[in-house]
Amino acid sequence: MTFGKREQMVVLFVGTALAIFLVHVLIFNPRSTEFARVKNEYEQGVAQLRDTEVLQSPKQLEDFKAKTLAYDAEITSLVAELQLDIPKHYASLKPEAVEKRMQDTLGYLRELVEMRARVKTPQLTFLDNRKPRGIQEAWNLPAQLPQAQRGGTGAIWDNVTKLRERFKFVERLAKPDEKLRVRAEYNRLLNELGLPPDEVSDWVVPYAGLGYIFFNDPKFKEYLDATLRQYNIQVLPNPYSLNRFGVLLPVFKRLWVSELIWEKRDPATEITKEELREILEIYPKFYPTDHGIVVTNKELAALVDIVKLAEKHSILEIYRVVMLKPSPLEKAVRRVPGATPTPEATPQGPPAGMPRQGGVLGFDIAMEPGMGPGMGPPGAMMARQAVATPDPSKQIGNAGGLEIYLRASNVNLVKFLFDLTHSPRTYAIDDLYIYADEKGDLNTSMTIELVTDLNALK
C-alpha cells in the first residue's frame, strides 16, 4: 500500500485534532470548571457583601461587639427563663459530674419534703405513706428515718454493716435458693432503714418458705429465669413498685433515704458514701447517666414550681403525681386549610387505644400506658411522640410531663389553670378532667406537658 501525501495529511489532521481534544479534556476543561466555580463563589460573596454594613471607624466595631454580647445575654436569659438550658455537668460522665446530677435530684426532693411540712395549702399528700388497700398509693418520701432508727446512730450503722455483708455475700453463692434466702435477709434490713423492698424494687419472685422476694438487678432476673424454670417458678414484674409513679422514682427514693442514713452515720464507720449508694442499689448501676436524667430532673423542677403556684392560688390538695417518661420531639406538620396533605407530610397517628394529645409549642406528643418494670406497670402514663417510629434526623428536642391530680375550689382552680398556661415556661395542659365531689370541691386530673431542651441550644 502506497502511503502518499494525501494520507500523510489525513493522519496529521487527525493527530492534531486528537491532540487538541486531549489538551481540552485534560487541561482546559478542568480549569474552566474550576473557574466557573470560583466565579460563582465570588459573585455570591459580592452579593452578600452588598447587604453588609461597612465599618466606618474602629468605634463601630466595638458597638457591634457590644450589641452581639447584648443579644447573646438576651438569648441566654430567655433560655434560662424557659428552663431549656442544660447545665454543663450533664454533658460529662466523670464521677464528679454525676455527683452534681444526683445533688440536683436531692435538691428538688428536699424542697418537696420541706414544702410538705411548711405549706398549709395545698396538702402534698402525694408524698405521704398511704396504703388504703394494702398497696402504696403515694410516693412515701420520708422526712426522717423510721421511729425505731431515728435516735440511734449505732443501730442504724449496725444495720448498714449487715446490709453490706448480705449484699456482697449474694454474689458468692451458687444456688438460687441460697441467693434468694440472703436476698430476703437483705430486704428485711432494707425495710428497717425506711426502704420497703416492695416499693423500691422492679421484680418479684414467689418462693416457697420465703414468700415474695423483691429485687432490681436485671442480670439476677436472667439467672433466676434460667434456674427456676424447671420448678415452674416465674419471675414477675413487681406490681407494688413506685415505678407506677415514675420510672426513676424507686431509685430516687433510695437516693433520698441514703442521704438521711448518711446524716446519721457513725463517725467511726469505714463505709464511704459511694459504697453506701452501691449497696442500696443507686450508683453506679441504677442511677442513669443518659439524657433521661436531664428530662426527669427537669420534671422534678417543674413539680416544685407547680406546687409553689398551687400554694399561691390556695389549691386544697395535690394527692397524686406521676412523672412521665421522656419523649423525643419532632416539629409538627403545618397544613394549609383545605389542602390535601401528602402521605409523607402526614404523621402517623398513635396506635389503636392510645389517645392523641395536644402539642407543646408546635410539637406533637402522644401518651401511652406503661408496661413492666423500667417503664412502669400497666396504668402508668408515659409521654411518647405521635409518630410510631421517630426519625432521629428530624428530632429537634426532648419533652417530659407530669400527670397531676388535685382538689380545689372553683374560683381558685380557674386562677391556677390560667397562671399555669400563661407561665413563661413551656407548660401545656392536656387530658383535663374536672368533677365535683360531695363537698362541692372540684377534683381535677391533668397532664402537664413541658419541653425540656432543644437541640439547637446544645
Side-chain angles (χ1 to χ4, degrees):
M1 176 180 177
T2 304
F3 198 73
K5 291 184 178 181
R6 178 180 297 176
E7 287 76 9
Q8 292 178 1
M9 292 178 64
V10 170
V11 170
L12 181 62
F13 175 79
V14 172
T16 303
L18 180 60
I20 294 172
F21 174 75
L22 291 174
V23 168
H24 175 76
V25 170
L26 297 178
I27 298 177
F28 292 107
N29 189 50
R31 293 189 177 185
S32 174
T33 303
E34 179 67 12
F35 173 78
R37 184 187 66 79
V38 172
K39 182 174 181 294
N40 183 54
E41 290 180 357
Y42 168 77
E43 291 175 348
Q44 289 180 355
V46 170
Q48 186 176 3
L49 190 61
R50 288 197 195 99
D51 299 328
T52 304
E53 185 175 352
V54 179
L55 296 179
Q56 301 299 324
S57 68
K59 184 179 181 304
Q60 269 191 300
L61 179 60
E62 297 301 321
D63 291 342
F64 286 145
K65 288 182 178 179
K67 287 181 181 180
T68 301
L69 291 174
Y71 290 147
D72 184 64
E74 186 176 349
I75 292 174
T76 302
S77 175
L78 179 61
V79 169
E81 186 177 15
L82 293 174
Q83 295 291 300
L84 296 175
D85 55 326
I86 302 178
K88 292 182 179 179
H89 54 269
Y90 286 92
S92 172
L93 294 178
K94 294 181 179 179
E96 56 269 25
V98 176
E99 177 63 30
K100 289 182 180 180
R101 301 181 199 185
M102 288 193 280
Q103 290 304 318
D104 288 347
T105 302
L106 287 167
Y108 300 132
L109 295 177
R110 183 174 290 108
E111 194 164 2
L112 288 170
V113 169
E114 290 174 353
M115 283 194 294
R116 175 176 55 184
R118 173 179 54 82
V119 174
K120 301 300 180 183
T121 54
Q123 299 177 47
L124 304 182
T125 55
F126 74 93
L127 296 172
D128 290 351
N129 180 11
R130 296 203 324 263
K131 291 186 174 182
R133 294 178 295 276
I135 301 176
Q136 186 60 254
E137 295 294 340
W139 289 18
N140 189 16
L141 205 63
Q144 51 190 335
L145 297 176
Q147 179 69 36
Q149 302 291 350
R150 284 205 299 264
T153 297
I156 292 173
W157 281 92
D158 181 55
N159 267 7
V160 171
T161 302
K162 292 177 181 177
L163 200 69
R164 178 177 62 173
E165 292 173 355
R166 304 306 190 275
F167 182 79
K168 301 291 185 181
F169 190 42
V170 170
E171 298 177 356
R172 298 197 296 268
L173 297 173
K175 297 180 180 179
D177 57 333
E178 295 174 343
K179 288 179 177 288
L180 289 172
R181 186 173 291 106
V182 174
R183 181 71 192 198
E185 296 173 6
Y186 172 95
N187 285 348
R188 177 182 59 79
L189 295 167
L190 203 65
N191 188 61
E192 292 179 6
L193 288 169
L195 288 168
D198 59 322
E199 296 180 11
V200 295
S201 304
D202 284 337
W203 306 95
V204 60
V205 56
Y207 201 86
L210 297 176
Y212 293 97
I213 310 300
F214 298 92
F215 65 94
N216 282 301
D217 194 341
K219 291 186 177 179
F220 190 39
K221 177 190 178 297
E222 293 177 6
Y223 166 81
L224 292 176
D225 281 335
T227 56
L228 298 180
R229 188 179 297 114
Q230 58 183 318
Y231 304 111
N232 293 324
I233 299 176
Q234 186 178 4
V235 180
L236 302 170
N238 175 18
Y240 310 108
S241 175
L242 293 181
N243 62 23
R244 290 172 292 145
F245 307 112
V247 173
L248 295 180
L249 190 55
V251 72
F252 282 180
K253 179 172 178 176
R254 295 198 296 272
L255 178 63
W256 171 249
V257 173
S258 76
E259 286 295 292
L260 299 181
I261 294 172
W262 187 249
E263 291 170 2
K264 296 288 185 179
R265 66 187 178 277
D266 186 341
T269 182
E270 297 179 355
I271 299 176
T272 65
K273 193 172 189 178
E274 291 72 20
E275 189 175 12
L276 174 62
R277 287 174 175 171
E278 182 183 8
I279 65 178
L280 291 178
E281 299 180 321
I282 301 166
Y283 182 76
K285 187 175 289 187
F286 291 98
Y287 187 89
T289 55
D290 60 8
H291 192 76
I293 193 62
V294 175
V295 178
T296 311
N297 272 349
K298 287 199 172 190
E299 288 176 341
L300 284 177
L303 180 57
V304 170
D305 181 51
I306 290 167
V307 169
K308 292 178 180 178
L309 189 62
E311 180 185 16
K312 173 185 174 182
H313 292 293
S314 299
I315 299 300
L316 298 174
E317 180 184 13
I318 299 177
Y319 55 89
R320 179 181 171 91
V321 174
V322 178
M323 294 188 294
L324 305 179
K325 186 180 178 183
S327 168
L329 287 180
E330 289 184 9
K331 191 172 183 180
V333 176
R334 303 294 184 185
R335 298 187 181 90
V336 178
T340 302
T342 63
E344 294 78 10
T346 307
Q348 296 178 349
M354 186 175 74
R356 180 65 174 260
Q357 308 298 322
V360 184
L361 297 183
F363 307 123
D364 281 340
I365 296 178
M367 313 298 288
E368 66 180 2
M371 296 180 295
M375 298 174 64
M381 299 296 290
M382 303 186 299
R384 180 185 179 275
Q385 185 138 3
V387 293
T389 305
D391 184 351
S393 65
K394 297 180 180 179
Q395 182 179 341
I396 59 174
N398 295 278
L402 297 163
E403 189 180 314
I404 292 183
Y405 295 72
L406 56 83
R407 186 169 56 86
S409 67
N410 190 354
V411 174
N412 291 345
L413 177 63
V414 171
K415 292 179 180 178
F416 169 76
L417 294 177
F418 180 85
D419 267 10
L420 184 66
T421 53
H422 289 73
S423 167
R425 296 184 180 181
T426 59
Y427 299 141
I429 293 178
D430 206 349
D431 284 343
L432 179 64
Y433 296 96
I434 303 174
Y435 63 94
D437 60 20
E438 62 276 4
K439 297 180 182 179
D441 296 328
L442 297 181
N443 282 270
T444 304
S445 66
M446 70 187 82
T447 298
I448 301 176
E449 301 167 351
L450 61 142
V451 176
T452 58
D453 57 278
L454 296 175
N455 293 347
L457 300 177
K458 295 179 183 178

